[in-house]
Amino acid sequence: MCLKTLGFVLVLFPGLLQAQGCDPPRLVHGNFLPRQETYSDRTTITYSCDNGYKPVVEGWWATSTCERGKWSHEPQCIDESSCLPPTIPNGKYPENSNGWYEAGSILTITCNGGFEHQNQITTTTCGNGKWSSAPVCERSMSACSAPPKIPHAVIIHGYQEVFAAGSEVQYECEDGYTAEGAHNKKSVCTQGSWTAVPTCTNFCAVNTDDNPEYISVGTVYIENGEEKRVECVKPHSWSLEQYSKVRCINGRVEATKCRNKVEHAAASVFDSD
Protein backbone atom coordinates (compact mmCIF):
# COMPACT_ATOMS: atom_id res chain seq x y z
CA MET A 1 0.00 0.00 0.00
CA CYS A 2 2.81 2.44 0.85
CA LEU A 3 4.65 1.77 -2.43
CA LYS A 4 1.54 2.43 -4.51
CA THR A 5 0.88 5.72 -2.72
CA LEU A 6 4.47 6.89 -3.23
CA GLY A 7 4.32 6.05 -6.95
CA PHE A 8 1.13 8.10 -7.30
CA VAL A 9 2.81 11.17 -5.79
CA LEU A 10 5.86 10.85 -8.04
CA VAL A 11 3.69 10.82 -11.15
CA LEU A 12 1.75 13.97 -10.14
CA PHE A 13 4.67 16.08 -8.96
CA PRO A 14 6.35 16.72 -12.37
CA GLY A 15 2.95 17.56 -13.84
CA LEU A 16 2.38 20.24 -11.22
CA LEU A 17 5.73 21.82 -12.06
CA GLN A 18 4.99 21.75 -15.79
CA ALA A 19 1.60 23.42 -15.25
CA GLN A 20 3.40 26.56 -14.05
CA GLY A 21 5.25 26.98 -17.35
CA CYS A 22 4.08 28.58 -20.62
CA ASP A 23 3.65 27.37 -24.19
CA PRO A 24 5.30 29.38 -26.99
CA PRO A 25 3.20 32.42 -28.01
CA ARG A 26 1.34 32.32 -31.33
CA LEU A 27 2.88 35.48 -32.74
CA VAL A 28 1.67 36.45 -36.23
CA HIS A 29 3.64 39.04 -38.27
CA GLY A 30 6.55 38.98 -35.82
CA ASN A 31 9.47 37.06 -34.31
CA PHE A 32 10.56 36.28 -30.76
CA LEU A 33 13.60 34.98 -28.89
CA PRO A 34 14.53 32.62 -27.36
CA ARG A 35 12.54 29.93 -29.16
CA GLN A 36 11.76 26.91 -26.98
CA GLU A 37 9.15 24.17 -26.84
CA THR A 38 8.16 25.25 -23.31
CA TYR A 39 9.13 28.12 -21.01
CA SER A 40 9.58 27.80 -17.26
CA ASP A 41 8.01 30.25 -14.86
CA ARG A 42 9.65 33.74 -14.83
CA THR A 43 11.24 33.26 -18.28
CA THR A 44 11.19 36.43 -20.41
CA ILE A 45 11.01 36.57 -24.20
CA THR A 46 11.70 39.53 -26.50
CA TYR A 47 9.75 40.11 -29.72
CA SER A 48 9.54 42.53 -32.64
CA CYS A 49 7.15 42.91 -35.59
CA ASP A 50 7.35 42.88 -39.38
CA ASN A 51 7.16 46.07 -41.48
CA GLY A 52 3.70 47.64 -41.26
CA TYR A 53 3.07 46.18 -37.80
CA LYS A 54 3.93 47.10 -34.22
CA PRO A 55 3.83 45.46 -30.75
CA VAL A 56 0.69 45.73 -28.67
CA VAL A 57 2.66 47.78 -26.13
CA GLU A 58 4.69 50.98 -26.55
CA GLY A 59 7.97 50.69 -28.52
CA TRP A 60 9.16 48.93 -31.68
CA TRP A 61 10.13 45.85 -29.64
CA ALA A 62 8.65 44.41 -26.44
CA THR A 63 9.15 41.82 -23.71
CA SER A 64 6.72 39.43 -22.02
CA THR A 65 7.28 37.17 -19.00
CA CYS A 66 5.84 33.76 -18.16
CA GLU A 67 3.90 34.09 -14.90
CA ARG A 68 2.19 30.96 -13.51
CA GLY A 69 1.30 29.53 -16.89
CA LYS A 70 0.40 32.82 -18.62
CA TRP A 71 2.36 35.55 -20.39
CA SER A 72 2.40 38.93 -18.63
CA HIS A 73 0.83 40.22 -21.83
CA GLU A 74 -0.05 38.15 -24.88
CA PRO A 75 2.60 38.98 -27.53
CA GLN A 76 0.81 40.48 -30.54
CA CYS A 77 1.75 42.41 -33.66
CA ILE A 78 -1.00 44.82 -34.74
CA ASP A 79 -1.41 47.04 -37.79
CA GLU A 80 0.55 50.30 -37.51
CA SER A 81 -2.67 52.25 -38.13
CA SER A 82 -4.24 50.77 -34.95
CA CYS A 83 -4.04 52.53 -31.57
CA LEU A 84 -2.98 51.48 -28.12
CA PRO A 85 -5.26 52.46 -25.19
CA PRO A 86 -5.08 56.23 -24.55
CA THR A 87 -4.12 57.72 -21.19
CA ILE A 88 -6.87 60.04 -19.93
CA PRO A 89 -6.07 61.49 -16.49
CA ASN A 90 -9.19 61.49 -14.28
CA GLY A 91 -11.25 59.89 -17.06
CA LYS A 92 -12.37 56.44 -18.20
CA TYR A 93 -13.67 54.71 -21.33
CA PRO A 94 -14.84 51.24 -22.48
CA GLU A 95 -11.87 48.86 -22.59
CA ASN A 96 -11.34 46.59 -25.59
CA SER A 97 -10.79 42.96 -24.62
CA ASN A 98 -7.85 42.50 -27.06
CA GLY A 99 -5.98 45.47 -25.57
CA TRP A 100 -5.93 47.72 -28.68
CA TYR A 101 -8.25 49.61 -31.04
CA GLU A 102 -8.60 49.49 -34.84
CA ALA A 103 -8.22 52.61 -36.98
CA GLY A 104 -11.48 54.57 -36.99
CA SER A 105 -12.44 53.53 -33.46
CA ILE A 106 -14.19 56.27 -31.49
CA LEU A 107 -14.01 56.39 -27.70
CA THR A 108 -16.40 58.33 -25.48
CA ILE A 109 -14.62 59.56 -22.35
CA THR A 110 -16.42 59.80 -19.01
CA CYS A 111 -14.82 62.02 -16.37
CA ASN A 112 -14.40 60.73 -12.83
CA GLY A 113 -16.49 62.15 -10.00
CA GLY A 114 -15.46 65.73 -9.21
CA PHE A 115 -14.17 66.34 -12.76
CA GLU A 116 -15.82 67.66 -15.92
CA HIS A 117 -14.99 67.92 -19.63
CA GLN A 118 -12.93 70.90 -20.73
CA ASN A 119 -14.43 72.72 -23.75
CA GLN A 120 -17.22 70.10 -23.93
CA ILE A 121 -15.01 67.66 -25.91
CA THR A 122 -16.04 64.10 -24.97
CA THR A 123 -14.70 61.79 -27.72
CA THR A 124 -11.40 60.85 -29.39
CA THR A 125 -10.82 58.97 -32.68
CA CYS A 126 -8.04 56.52 -33.68
CA GLY A 127 -6.33 57.37 -36.99
CA ASN A 128 -2.89 56.47 -38.40
CA GLY A 129 -1.90 54.89 -35.12
CA LYS A 130 -2.67 57.96 -33.03
CA TRP A 131 -5.64 59.39 -31.17
CA SER A 132 -7.13 62.74 -32.09
CA SER A 133 -7.02 65.48 -29.44
CA ALA A 134 -8.16 63.62 -26.37
CA PRO A 135 -10.76 65.10 -24.01
CA VAL A 136 -9.39 66.75 -20.89
CA CYS A 137 -11.09 66.12 -17.55
CA GLU A 138 -10.55 69.14 -15.31
CA ARG A 139 -11.58 69.54 -11.71
CA SER A 140 -15.08 70.89 -11.21
CA MET A 141 -15.47 74.18 -9.35
CA SER A 142 -18.08 72.55 -7.09
CA ALA A 143 -15.87 69.58 -6.17
CA CYS A 144 -14.21 69.17 -2.75
CA SER A 145 -10.70 68.18 -1.73
CA ALA A 146 -10.19 65.31 0.72
CA PRO A 147 -12.33 65.75 3.89
CA PRO A 148 -10.62 67.38 6.88
CA LYS A 149 -8.76 65.16 9.32
CA ILE A 150 -10.41 64.83 12.74
CA PRO A 151 -8.37 63.69 15.76
CA HIS A 152 -9.46 60.29 17.09
CA ALA A 153 -11.65 59.57 14.04
CA VAL A 154 -11.61 57.66 10.75
CA ILE A 155 -13.69 58.13 7.60
CA ILE A 156 -15.81 55.22 6.39
CA HIS A 157 -14.90 55.73 2.73
CA GLY A 158 -12.01 54.79 0.47
CA TYR A 159 -9.35 57.51 0.20
CA GLN A 160 -9.51 59.89 -2.76
CA GLU A 161 -8.20 63.39 -3.38
CA VAL A 162 -11.28 64.85 -5.11
CA PHE A 163 -14.99 64.37 -4.31
CA ALA A 164 -17.91 65.37 -6.52
CA ALA A 165 -20.53 67.79 -5.21
CA GLY A 166 -23.12 65.94 -3.16
CA SER A 167 -20.68 63.26 -1.97
CA GLU A 168 -21.13 62.10 1.61
CA VAL A 169 -18.52 60.78 4.03
CA GLN A 170 -19.12 59.34 7.45
CA TYR A 171 -16.80 59.91 10.40
CA GLU A 172 -16.53 57.31 13.14
CA CYS A 173 -14.84 58.05 16.46
CA GLU A 174 -12.39 55.55 17.89
CA ASP A 175 -13.28 53.54 20.96
CA GLY A 176 -13.53 55.72 24.05
CA TYR A 177 -14.52 58.83 22.08
CA THR A 178 -17.85 60.18 20.91
CA ALA A 179 -19.20 62.87 18.59
CA GLU A 180 -21.95 64.83 20.26
CA GLY A 181 -23.22 61.74 22.01
CA ALA A 182 -23.15 59.55 18.85
CA HIS A 183 -20.54 57.24 17.34
CA ASN A 184 -20.56 58.65 13.82
CA LYS A 185 -21.60 61.66 11.79
CA LYS A 186 -21.80 62.54 8.09
CA SER A 187 -20.35 65.49 6.19
CA VAL A 188 -21.50 66.51 2.69
CA CYS A 189 -19.56 68.19 -0.15
CA THR A 190 -21.45 71.38 -1.01
CA GLN A 191 -20.14 73.96 -3.50
CA GLY A 192 -16.51 73.08 -2.93
CA SER A 193 -16.65 72.83 0.87
CA TRP A 194 -17.56 70.19 3.42
CA THR A 195 -20.42 70.77 5.83
CA ALA A 196 -19.69 70.84 9.57
CA VAL A 197 -17.62 67.91 10.80
CA PRO A 198 -17.77 66.37 14.27
CA THR A 199 -15.32 66.65 17.14
CA CYS A 200 -14.47 63.36 18.79
CA THR A 201 -14.06 63.75 22.55
CA ASN A 202 -13.26 61.35 25.36
CA PHE A 203 -16.41 60.21 27.20
CA CYS A 204 -17.90 57.92 29.80
CA ALA A 205 -20.95 55.78 29.19
CA VAL A 206 -23.33 55.22 32.12
CA ASN A 207 -25.87 52.48 31.49
CA THR A 208 -28.81 53.21 33.78
CA ASP A 209 -30.46 49.92 32.77
CA ASP A 210 -27.76 48.02 34.69
CA ASN A 211 -27.89 50.24 37.79
CA PRO A 212 -30.85 49.68 40.15
CA GLU A 213 -30.31 53.08 41.81
CA TYR A 214 -31.15 55.05 38.66
CA ILE A 215 -34.36 55.51 36.75
CA SER A 216 -33.84 53.65 33.48
CA VAL A 217 -33.17 55.97 30.51
CA GLY A 218 -30.67 53.79 28.63
CA THR A 219 -27.05 54.87 28.16
CA VAL A 220 -25.98 58.36 29.20
CA TYR A 221 -22.81 59.72 27.54
CA ILE A 222 -20.70 62.14 29.56
CA GLU A 223 -17.73 63.98 28.04
CA ASN A 224 -14.39 64.00 29.83
CA GLY A 225 -14.49 66.46 32.73
CA GLU A 226 -18.25 66.95 32.43
CA GLU A 227 -20.72 66.37 35.26
CA LYS A 228 -24.35 65.33 34.86
CA ARG A 229 -27.22 64.54 37.17
CA VAL A 230 -28.91 61.15 36.88
CA GLU A 231 -32.31 60.79 38.55
CA CYS A 232 -32.50 58.26 41.36
CA VAL A 233 -35.21 55.63 41.87
CA LYS A 234 -37.61 56.98 44.49
CA PRO A 235 -39.60 54.37 46.43
CA HIS A 236 -40.83 55.43 49.92
CA SER A 237 -37.48 54.72 51.57
CA TRP A 238 -35.57 56.99 49.18
CA SER A 239 -36.15 60.57 50.21
CA LEU A 240 -32.84 62.35 50.78
CA GLU A 241 -31.13 62.44 47.39
CA GLN A 242 -33.29 62.92 44.30
CA TYR A 243 -30.31 62.98 41.88
CA SER A 244 -26.87 61.40 41.73
CA LYS A 245 -23.98 63.52 40.45
CA VAL A 246 -22.05 61.57 37.81
CA ARG A 247 -18.72 62.84 36.55
CA CYS A 248 -16.36 61.55 33.81
CA ILE A 249 -12.63 61.55 34.67
CA ASN A 250 -10.44 60.24 31.82
CA GLY A 251 -12.97 57.59 30.87
CA ARG A 252 -13.71 56.61 34.50
CA VAL A 253 -17.07 57.32 36.15
CA GLU A 254 -17.23 58.99 39.57
CA ALA A 255 -20.68 59.29 41.13
CA THR A 256 -22.32 60.27 44.41
CA LYS A 257 -24.65 57.48 45.49
CA CYS A 258 -28.39 57.81 45.95
CA ARG A 259 -29.03 57.63 49.73
CA ASN A 260 -32.05 56.98 51.93
CA LYS A 261 -32.93 58.23 55.42
CA VAL A 262 -31.29 55.30 57.27
CA GLU A 263 -27.99 55.70 55.42
CA HIS A 264 -28.02 59.45 56.03
CA ALA A 265 -28.74 59.08 59.73
CA ALA A 266 -25.94 56.53 60.15
CA ALA A 267 -23.53 58.81 58.31
CA SER A 268 -24.52 61.78 60.51
CA VAL A 269 -23.89 59.82 63.74
CA PHE A 270 -20.53 58.63 62.45
CA ASP A 271 -19.55 62.18 61.47
CA SER A 272 -20.56 63.58 64.87
CA ASP A 273 -18.21 61.18 66.64
Side-chain angles (χ1 to χ4, degrees):
M1 178 65 70
C2 293
L3 291 176
K4 290 183 179 179
T5 303
L6 180 59
F8 182 73
V9 173
L10 290 175
V11 169
L12 285 181
F13 189 63
L16 291 174
L17 291 177
Q18 186 176 0
Q20 294 182 349
C22 296
D23 293 327
R26 297 178 180 178
L27 183 63
V28 181
H29 304 299
N31 295 283
F32 62 90
L33 292 173
R35 285 190 170 273
Q36 301 173 189
E37 292 186 1
T38 58
Y39 297 83
S40 59
D41 193 50
R42 308 309 303 169
T43 299
T44 297
I45 63 171
T46 302
Y47 72 95
S48 62
C49 299
D50 300 338
N51 290 337
Y53 296 88
K54 62 185 179 182
V56 75
V57 294
E58 288 290 349
W60 66 266
W61 81 93
T63 61
S64 186
T65 302
C66 177
E67 297 177 350
R68 297 183 179 180
K70 295 183 178 181
W71 295 104
S72 55
H73 79 266
E74 189 63 33
Q76 297 180 69
C77 289
I78 61 177
D79 194 285
E80 285 186 339
S81 63
S82 300
C83 293
L84 302 180
T87 300
I88 310 292
N90 305 308
K92 52 192 174 184
Y93 51 84
E95 295 184 3
N96 202 343
S97 60
N98 60 18
W100 53 277
Y101 299 83
E102 294 181 349
S105 298
I106 299 176
L107 293 181
T108 299
I109 309 302
T110 302
C111 292
N112 296 338
F115 294 84
E116 57 190 11
H117 291 293
Q118 185 183 72
N119 301 325
Q120 303 303 312
I121 299 175
T122 61
T123 62
T124 182
T125 304
C126 173
N128 296 322
K130 295 182 180 180
W131 294 101
S132 60
S133 297
V136 175
C137 293
E138 60 183 0
R139 178 170 169 169
S140 172
M141 295 294 292
S142 60
C144 293
S145 299
K149 181 180 179 181
I150 302 300
H152 308 295
V154 295
I155 292 177
I156 311 303
H157 191 291
Y159 178 80
Q160 60 190 70
E161 294 182 354
V162 178
F163 287 78
S167 298
E168 290 186 356
V169 295
Q170 179 174 294
Y171 288 86
E172 183 170 342
C173 297
E174 66 182 63
D175 291 344
Y177 290 80
T178 187
E180 299 181 1
H183 288 288
N184 56 66
K185 190 174 182 180
K186 292 181 179 178
S187 183
V188 182
C189 173
T190 305
Q191 295 299 318
S193 299
W194 292 99
T195 56
V197 296
T199 299
C200 292
T201 56
N202 198 1
F203 72 98
C204 295
V206 179
N207 188 347
T208 59
D209 295 339
D210 296 337
N211 194 319
E213 291 189 358
Y214 302 143
I215 292 179
S216 176
V217 293
T219 302
V220 178
Y221 294 96
I222 307 173
E223 293 185 2
N224 188 44
E226 183 184 7
E227 185 177 87
K228 283 188 177 182
R229 295 193 306 172
V230 182
E231 190 171 0
C232 298
V233 175
K234 294 176 289 184
H236 295 295
S237 60
W238 300 90
S239 59
L240 181 67
E241 297 289 349
Q242 186 176 358
Y243 296 96
S244 171
K245 294 179 181 179
V246 182
R247 189 179 182 189
C248 179
I249 304 296
N250 295 325
R252 181 172 54 86
V253 176
E254 291 184 356
T256 57
K257 294 183 64 176
C258 298
R259 294 185 296 170
N260 60 26
K261 288 181 179 180
V262 176
E263 288 178 338
H264 179 60
S268 298
V269 171
F270 181 80
D271 292 340
S272 64
D273 292 342

